[in-house]
Coordinates of all heavy atoms in Angstrom, one line a residue:
A2 N -127.1 22.2 45.6 CA -127.6 20.9 45.8 C -126.6 20.2 46.7 O -127.1 19.5 47.7 CB -127.7 20.1 44.4
E3 N -125.4 20.4 46.6 CA -124.3 19.8 47.5 C -124.6 20.3 49.0 O -124.4 19.4 49.8 CB -122.9 20.2 47.1 CG -122.5 19.5 45.8 CD -121.1 20.1 45.3 OE1 -120.4 20.8 46.2 OE2 -120.7 19.9 44.1
R4 N -124.8 21.5 49.1 CA -125.1 22.0 50.5 C -126.2 21.4 51.1 O -126.4 21.3 52.4 CB -125.4 23.6 50.4 CG -124.1 24.4 50.1 CD -124.5 25.9 49.9 NE -123.4 26.8 49.6 CZ -122.9 27.6 50.5 NH1 -123.4 27.6 51.7 NH2 -121.8 28.2 50.1
H5 N -127.3 20.9 50.4 CA -128.4 20.3 50.9 C -128.6 18.9 50.6 O -129.6 18.1 50.7 CB -129.8 20.9 50.3 CG -129.8 22.4 50.8 ND1 -130.3 22.8 52.1 CD2 -129.3 23.6 50.3 CE1 -130.4 24.1 52.2 NE2 -129.8 24.5 51.1
N6 N -127.4 18.2 50.4 CA -127.3 16.7 50.2 C -128.2 16.3 49.2 O -128.9 15.1 49.1 CB -127.6 16.1 51.6 CG -126.6 16.3 52.6 OD1 -125.4 16.3 52.4 ND2 -127.1 16.6 53.8
L7 N -128.4 17.0 48.1 CA -129.3 16.6 46.9 C -128.2 16.2 45.8 O -127.0 16.8 45.9 CB -130.0 17.8 46.5 CG -131.0 18.3 47.4 CD1 -131.6 19.7 46.8 CD2 -132.2 17.4 47.7
R8 N -128.6 15.2 45.1 CA -127.6 14.8 44.0 C -128.0 15.5 42.6 O -129.1 15.6 42.3 CB -127.8 13.2 43.9 CG -127.7 12.4 45.1 CD -127.8 11.0 44.8 NE -128.9 10.6 44.3 CZ -130.1 10.6 44.9 NH1 -130.3 10.9 46.2 NH2 -131.2 10.2 44.4
T9 N -126.9 15.7 41.8 CA -127.0 16.4 40.5 C -126.6 15.4 39.5 O -125.7 14.6 39.7 CB -126.4 17.7 40.4 OG1 -125.1 17.5 40.7 CG2 -127.0 18.7 41.5
E10 N -127.2 15.6 38.3 CA -126.7 14.8 37.2 C -127.0 15.7 35.9 O -128.0 16.2 35.7 CB -127.7 13.5 37.1 CG -127.5 12.7 35.9 CD -128.6 11.7 35.9 OE1 -129.6 11.7 36.6 OE2 -128.6 10.8 34.8
I11 N -125.8 15.7 35.0 CA -126.1 16.5 33.9 C -126.9 15.6 32.9 O -126.4 14.5 32.4 CB -124.7 16.9 33.2 CG1 -124.1 17.9 34.2 CG2 -124.9 17.4 31.8 CD1 -122.9 18.5 33.6
M12 N -128.1 16.0 32.4 CA -128.9 15.3 31.5 C -128.6 15.4 30.1 O -128.4 14.4 29.2 CB -130.4 15.7 31.7 CG -130.8 15.5 33.2 SD -131.1 13.8 33.5 CE -132.7 13.5 32.5
S13 N -128.3 16.7 29.7 CA -127.7 17.0 28.4 C -127.1 18.4 28.5 O -127.3 19.2 29.3 CB -128.9 17.0 27.4 OG -129.7 18.1 27.7
S14 N -126.2 18.6 27.5 CA -125.5 19.8 27.5 C -125.0 20.1 26.0 O -124.8 19.3 25.3 CB -124.3 19.9 28.5 OG -123.4 18.9 28.0
S15 N -124.9 21.5 25.7 CA -124.2 21.9 24.5 C -123.3 23.0 24.9 O -123.7 24.1 25.2 CB -125.3 22.6 23.5 OG -124.8 23.0 22.4
E16 N -122.0 22.6 24.9 CA -120.9 23.7 25.4 C -120.7 24.6 24.4 O -120.9 24.5 23.2 CB -119.7 22.8 25.7 CG -120.0 21.8 26.8 CD -118.5 21.1 27.0 OE1 -117.6 21.4 26.5 OE2 -118.5 20.0 27.9
A17 N -120.4 25.8 24.9 CA -120.0 26.9 24.0 C -118.5 27.0 23.8 O -117.7 26.6 24.8 CB -120.6 28.1 24.5
E18 N -118.1 27.5 22.7 CA -116.7 27.6 22.5 C -116.0 28.5 23.2 O -114.9 28.3 23.8 CB -116.5 28.0 20.9 CG -116.9 27.1 19.9 CD -116.5 27.5 18.5 OE1 -115.3 27.9 18.3 OE2 -117.4 27.6 17.7
A19 N -116.6 29.6 23.9 CA -115.8 30.6 24.6 C -116.1 30.2 26.2 O -115.5 30.9 27.0 CB -116.6 32.0 24.4
G20 N -116.8 29.0 26.3 CA -116.9 28.6 27.8 C -118.4 28.6 28.2 O -119.2 29.2 27.4
G21 N -118.7 27.8 29.2 CA -120.1 27.8 29.6 C -120.9 26.9 28.7 O -120.3 26.0 28.0
F22 N -122.2 27.1 28.7 CA -123.1 26.4 27.8 C -124.1 27.2 27.0 O -124.6 28.3 27.5 CB -124.0 25.5 28.8 CG -123.2 24.5 29.6 CD1 -123.0 24.8 30.9 CD2 -122.7 23.3 29.1 CE1 -122.2 24.0 31.7 CE2 -122.1 22.4 29.9 CZ -121.7 22.7 31.1
K23 N -124.3 26.7 25.8 CA -125.4 27.2 25.0 C -126.7 26.8 25.8 O -127.6 27.7 25.9 CB -125.4 26.7 23.5 CG -124.2 27.3 22.8 CD -124.3 26.7 21.4 CE -123.1 27.0 20.6 NZ -123.1 26.2 19.3
E24 N -126.7 25.6 26.2 CA -127.9 25.1 27.0 C -127.4 23.8 27.8 O -126.6 23.1 27.3 CB -129.0 24.7 26.1 CG -128.9 23.7 25.2 CD -130.2 23.5 24.4 OE1 -130.4 24.2 23.4 OE2 -131.0 22.6 24.6
V25 N -128.0 23.7 28.9 CA -127.5 22.5 29.7 C -128.8 22.1 30.6 O -129.6 23.0 31.1 CB -126.4 22.9 30.7 CG1 -126.7 24.1 31.7 CG2 -126.1 21.7 31.5
A26 N -129.0 20.9 30.8 CA -130.2 20.3 31.6 C -129.5 19.6 32.7 O -128.7 18.7 32.6 CB -131.1 19.5 30.8
L27 N -129.9 19.9 34.0 CA -129.5 19.3 35.2 C -130.7 18.6 35.8 O -131.8 19.2 36.0 CB -129.0 20.3 36.2 CG -127.6 21.1 35.9 CD1 -127.4 22.2 36.9 CD2 -126.5 20.3 35.7
A28 N -130.4 17.3 36.3 CA -131.5 16.7 37.2 C -130.9 16.9 38.6 O -129.8 16.7 38.9 CB -131.5 15.2 36.8

């Protein structure tokens, strides 16, 4: 998105204990 001048927004997320996400929603 950054490369193409698009904007991103984290809509919702569930972080995982070991890192990353169980699930994440990006706009």
Side-chain angles (χ1 to χ4, degrees):
E3 288 173 14
R4 287 170 179 261
H5 292 276
N6 297 315
L7 302 171
R8 304 181 307 281
T9 59
E10 170 191 9
I11 293 183
M12 302 286 288
S13 69
S14 64
S15 176
E16 295 182 8
E18 289 187 55
F22 298 99
K23 294 176 183 176
E24 60 181 82
V25 58
L27 299 172

